[in-house]
Amino acid sequence: MAKSLLFPEFKIERDSNRCISCQVCVRQCANDVHTYDQEDDTVTSKEEQCVGCQRCVTLCPTNALQVDTKKTGFRPNASWSIQHLRNLYKQSETGGVLLTGMGCDQPYRIYWDHLLLNASQVTNPSIDPLREPIELKTFLGAKEEMLDIDWNHDFPVVKTKLAPQLELNLPIVFSAMSYGSISYNAFRSFVEAAREVGTYCNSGEGGLHPDFYPYGNNIIVQVASGRFGVHRDYLQVASAVEIKIGQGAKPGIGGHLPGEKVSSDVSRTRKIPEGSDAISPAPHHDIYSIEDLQRLIYAIKESIHYEKPVSVKIAAVHNVAPIASGVIRAGADIVAIDGIRGGTGAAPLVIRDNVGIPIELALAQVDERLRQEGIRHRASLVIAGGIRSSADVIKAIALGADAVYIGTSALVALGCHLCQKCYTGKCNWGIATQDPYLTKRLNPNIGKRHLVNLMRAWAFEIKEMLGGMGVNSIQSLRGNKEHLRAVGLTREEMQILGVKPAGEGW
Amino acid sequence: MKKIVIYEEYCIGCRLCEISCLVKHSRSGKIIKAFKEEYPRPVSRVHVEEEGYLSFALQCRHCVDATCIEYCMTGAMHRDEKTGAVVCDEEKCVGCWMCIMSCPFGVIQREKKERRIASKCDLCGNDGEPSCVTNCPNEALSYEES
């Protein structure tokens, strides 16, 4: 093949004093970067094929390898970045839409990093979470406007029939990643961790493998525009059903699952031919209005006998607040909003990086709008898209979220190194692949342990921060923007977030 | 006794077990030195068997009814009374290779030393968890009471 204009993205440095030619790198690279030369007993590397997943670097027993972004000799140009040039070369050679994986990596402002939390001093006591209980329990679902209570002597008896709820031990849910986009072992790690932690994991739009039906009490199933693997048992086995309208990484278009990842097992679960691309339609073809959405919500509620909440997931777009309001009025018990930094297994690069708005702004606006309309209680808000730490979780709660979805953070706990090549099906970490050589690399026992550890650590940290604020229940922080202050934001941004500048008191 | 249990569904064929075994049984115990400076290079006592995507790391099973012990003419191959592991007494081994011939798993091999002696898994001298188990990145080997 003639030399491509595409220059290597990564530079592979092999320290020959350390390399023992053990060929672990050769065996572990799904992109065939490293080759062993028996004659010379040396390993050489083809940088053109390297995606920077760091698998070889991590497994090299002598730390002989270093994979770095390659410096290019291009004349510096603020307008024509290296990424722009790469994309131009690639498209001129292929004529196709550029695909990518994971969330938007562009340097749009991350508002979490401009929000600071409060703590108690002198006038109100802080709480020590190691000595006093702090409650993280969260219920997702529609709440009653008013409770009708009867008294049985001294005991109150709730007469109102309560709406179905999801009970979470901490306000974190594993976000929608379908079987197909991620491997069986990755999916198993999620469901088992969700069960152990006492939270939920979202099945994504790819149906539910029969092996995971017993975990229904910890699974939210998704009904997306492709309707893959949706049938009665699928809806009834889950704890909640989510209608996916949009996804933060690709608002306005449907899910993509490249045919490379449609293995026989995935094809059976999705009910589509093996090896065929699973491209979900952009809209649901039965939803063209809020009224249509209402019909689908109630069709699903009928099929699950009104026993479980129904969620609607939308992407954070410009008009998100009125849309969320409409969604709630259509009968959704939970509204999930996915911001621009939300991840994906495959999306057009141009859409991922240019469509949608940051979740922080969307969340603040939706919460505010719903309060103004007096319908905030009618649905829980779950937000997604770029939650990187327990601090982001607690800031999201203070901005008005009931819970957060985590996708990328959880994948990183499973070993993901954000190489953004999920769409190729060659994930060297065994996560976003269906290749039996690669899926084995994720041992679900280790995966589950890592996820449980992460949730445990975050729960501790959230309790510490809550205690510092003098709040003993996450419920009391929800939507309490007085606990947040902004640094380095414009007046408009602070107004949209509903947060005062740092330095301003009550 | 504790034995090494194989979980082939998680073996990723990286062969780090082989490397760690070799280092553990090298003279220096240092990975770079063992590979670059020790001649003859020590041999690994665990081997990854592969066919297609199926792979697993196989080492001596320390059989209850060990044919290698039965066939050994000098009594070099014996069972360690304390640990129950099948081990080779290098002083007694004369390199007749009857153990290699008789092993149903093919996990005994010739050590490339000055003398002809048989080399096999010794459970790392019962020095805690064997090296291959400790260094498996995917927990495809585990050291369990059987």
Side-chain angles (χ1 to χ4, degrees), chain A residues 385-404:
Chain A
I387 301 288
R388 306 154 299 169
S389 66
S390 57
D392 292 352
V393 177
I394 204 161
K395 288 170 188 174
I397 303 280
L399 267 186
D402 287 281
V404 301

Side-chain angles (χ1 to χ4, degrees), chain A residues 209-498:
Chain A
H209 192 285
D211 290 1
F212 302 126
Y213 275 67
Y215 294 87
N217 286 341
N218 296 92
I219 293 179
I220 301 169
V221 293
Q222 215 176 43
V223 174
S225 57
R227 305 281 157 89
F228 298 116
V230 177
H231 48 83
R232 193 190 57 193
D233 296 347
Y234 172 76
L235 297 175
Q236 291 187 346
V237 76
S239 308
V241 179
E242 181 168 274
I243 300 169
K244 176 199 164 194
I245 302 291
Q247 186 177 342
K250 41 183 169 180
I253 60 172
H256 287 46
L257 184 70
E260 287 88 342
K261 289 167 85 173
V262 183
S263 64
S264 63
D265 231 17
V266 172
S267 101
R268 270 195 299 279
T269 308
R270 291 204 179 211
K271 320 279 185 219
I272 55 169
E274 201 174 322
S276 63
D277 288 342
I279 310 285
S280 299
H284 284 250
H285 282 306
D286 51 359
I287 302 178
Y288 284 81
S289 65
I290 291 290
E291 291 75 16
D292 288 345
L293 175 65
Q294 185 170 29
R295 286 209 303 206
L296 181 61
I297 291 176
Y298 279 91
I300 289 173
K301 284 191 174 183
E302 282 287 338
S303 70
I304 54 178
H305 313 302
Y306 296 87
E307 284 165 354
K308 293 157 187 173
V310 171
S311 164
V312 174
K313 179 177 178 181
I314 54 174
V317 289
H318 302 179
N319 203 26
V320 65
I323 296 168
S325 164
V327 165
I328 292 175
R329 288 169 197 281
D333 304 299
I334 300 166
V335 182
I337 308 171
D338 195 4
I340 189 169
R341 284 186 303 275
T344 177
L349 178 77
V350 67
I351 290 186
R352 187 197 73 173
D353 288 351
N354 296 286
V355 182
I357 61 170
I359 190 62
E360 303 90 322
L361 305 175
L363 166 63
Q365 279 300 295
V366 169
D367 182 59
E368 183 58 29
R369 172 80 176 234
L370 300 182
R371 282 164 189 271
Q372 283 171 2
E373 294 185 4
I375 56 169
R376 178 66 183 81
H377 64 283
R378 279 171 57 182
S380 295
L381 275 183
V382 183
I383 62 125
I387 301 288
R388 306 154 299 169
S389 66
S390 57
D392 292 352
V393 177
I394 204 161
K395 288 170 188 174
I397 303 280
L399 267 186
D402 287 281
V404 301
Y405 268 131
I406 58 160
T408 306
S409 300
L411 290 177
V412 171
L414 295 183
C416 169
H417 281 57
L418 298 175
C419 73
Q420 308 187 3
K421 294 288 174 191
C422 324
Y423 65 96
T424 62
K426 285 188 182 174
C427 175
N428 268 324
W429 296 92
I431 301 169
T433 176
Q434 303 300 330
D435 180 342
Y437 281 97
L438 304 174
T439 53
K440 291 169 94 184
R441 296 183 182 182
L442 179 61
N443 179 339
N445 302 326
I446 302 178
K448 172 196 170 187
R449 192 189 318 143
H450 284 187
L451 291 169
V452 171
N453 281 344
L454 181 73
M455 290 302 94
R456 180 184 140 91
W458 281 19
F460 277 135
E461 289 177 347
I462 292 172
K463 285 180 181 177
E464 289 281 358
M465 286 184 279
L466 279 179
M469 289 182 231
V471 177
N472 67 2
S473 162
I474 193 99
Q475 204 67 23
S476 313
L477 181 71
R478 213 152 263 143
N480 192 344
K481 294 177 187 173
E482 280 296 356
H483 278 298
L484 294 173
R485 286 293 183 268
V487 280
L489 294 183
T490 64
R491 193 176 291 273
E492 285 80 13
E493 285 169 323
M494 286 189 284
Q495 198 185 344
I496 287 168
L497 288 169

